[in-house]
């Protein structure tokens, strides 16, 4: 088979599988399960690069392959999946199409721009990596979207409007020429803990909502 199947790509593949499964749930009117899949994809993505770099004898092709599959996975998990969740929570009218398109396109451009910079480092065009990102990383959607979704049981009638506005703002941040600091080891651990707690909170609130506790 073509491709690479060593341990350095496992987390990226799992992130893609989580994102793809989330799209299935979203399109089957189960945004709660889709949000959990989004969180899982984010947790897998958080550590895939760290795991890949533990293999010291990676070839140039393996490194290049890792960069490409990471961005392709991110586009599906953090670009397409949030858009599908938006449709499920109520963004079903034609006038929401520009927001869907803008969100996915902005994420697409953001990832392509990131790949160019990573390849410049890989091939020595740039001597060292910078300590910041230009534009907000698309992977932040895995924390921002679930954080917003927790509010859904409390504002069920207007949540889709808030979600649509939020998608528009996030799309702008993807391509805005704003510097976002790269997380260090402590920040990565903090993000992992926050993501885990957010997953637990999402499950608890989601189960309560499904059981009518919020009276919706």
């Amino acid at each position: 088979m073509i491709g690479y199947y060593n341990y350095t790509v496992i987390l990226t593949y799992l992130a893609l599988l989580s994102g793809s499964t989330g799209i299935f749930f979203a399109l089957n009117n189960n945004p709660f399960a889709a949000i959990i899949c989004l969180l899982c994809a984010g947790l897998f993505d958080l550590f895939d690069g760290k795991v890949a770099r533990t293999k010291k004898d990676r070839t140039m092709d393996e490194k290049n392959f890792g960069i490409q599959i990471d961005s392709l996975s991110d586009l599906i998990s953090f670009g397409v999946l949030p858009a599908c969740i938006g449709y499920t929570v109520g963004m079903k009218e034609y006038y929401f199409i520009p927001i869907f398109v803008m969100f996915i396109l902005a994420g697409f451009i953001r990832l392509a721009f990131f790949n160019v910079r990573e390849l410049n480092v890989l091939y020595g065009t740039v001597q060292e990596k910078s300590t910041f990102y230009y534009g907000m990383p698309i992977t932040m959607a895995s924390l921002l979207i679930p954080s917003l979704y927790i509010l859904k049981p409390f504002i069920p009638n207007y949540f889709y409007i808030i979600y649509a506005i939020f998608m528009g703002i996030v799309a702008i941040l993807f391509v805005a020429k704003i510097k976002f600091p790269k997380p260090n080891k402590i920040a990565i651990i903090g993000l992992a803990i926050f993501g885990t707690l957010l997953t637990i909170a999402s499950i608890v609130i989601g189960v309560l909502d499904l059981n009518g506790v919020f009276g919706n």
Side-chain angles (χ1 to χ4, degrees), residues 180-213:
F180 287 81
K182 290 185 177 180
N184 54 28
K185 291 182 180 179
I186 296 177
I188 290 175
I189 294 173
L191 288 171
I193 294 173
F194 179 71
T196 302
L197 294 175
L198 188 57
T199 302
I200 295 172
S202 298
I203 291 173
V204 171
I205 292 178
V207 170
L208 293 176
D209 188 32
L210 290 174
N211 284 276
V213 173

Side-chain angles (χ1 to χ4, degrees), residues 113-133:
F113 182 78
F114 171 80
N115 277 14
V116 170
R117 295 179 69 86
E118 287 294 296
L119 290 174
N120 283 339
V121 173
L122 183 63
Y123 291 111
T125 306
V126 177
Q127 294 303 314
E128 59 182 24
K129 290 186 176 183
S130 64
T131 58
F132 58 85
Y133 296 110

Side-chain angles (χ1 to χ4, degrees), residues 91-156:
M91 295 173 61
K92 300 181 186 296
E93 302 298 333
Y94 288 110
Y95 49 75
F96 286 118
I97 290 178
I99 298 178
F100 288 133
V101 172
M102 181 174 69
F103 186 86
I104 296 173
L105 178 60
F108 179 74
I109 293 171
R110 170 70 183 78
L111 289 166
F113 182 78
F114 171 80
N115 277 14
V116 170
R117 295 179 69 86
E118 287 294 296
L119 290 174
N120 283 339
V121 173
L122 183 63
Y123 291 111
T125 306
V126 177
Q127 294 303 314
E128 59 182 24
K129 290 186 176 183
S130 64
T131 58
F132 58 85
Y133 296 110
Y134 273 119
M136 187 177 71
I138 191 174
T139 52
M140 286 299 296
S142 66
L143 294 178
L144 296 176
I145 299 296
S147 297
L148 179 67
Y149 188 77
I150 288 177
L151 301 176
K152 181 177 180 292
F154 306 101
I155 44 174

Side-chain angles (χ1 to χ4, degrees), residues 26-29 31 80-94 96 100 160 163 167:
L27 295 181
N28 278 275
N29 201 34
V80 178
L81 175 53
C84 291
I85 292 172
Y87 179 82
T88 301
V89 300
M91 295 173 61
K92 300 181 186 296
E93 302 298 333
Y94 288 110
F96 286 118
F100 288 133
Y160 74 98
Y163 193 97
M167 281 186 67

Side-chain angles (χ1 to χ4, degrees), residues 14-27 33-34 37 76 81:
L14 288 174
L16 175 63
L17 292 175
S18 296
S20 301
T21 303
I23 291 172
F24 173 83
F25 281 126
L27 295 181
C37 289
I76 293 173
L81 175 53

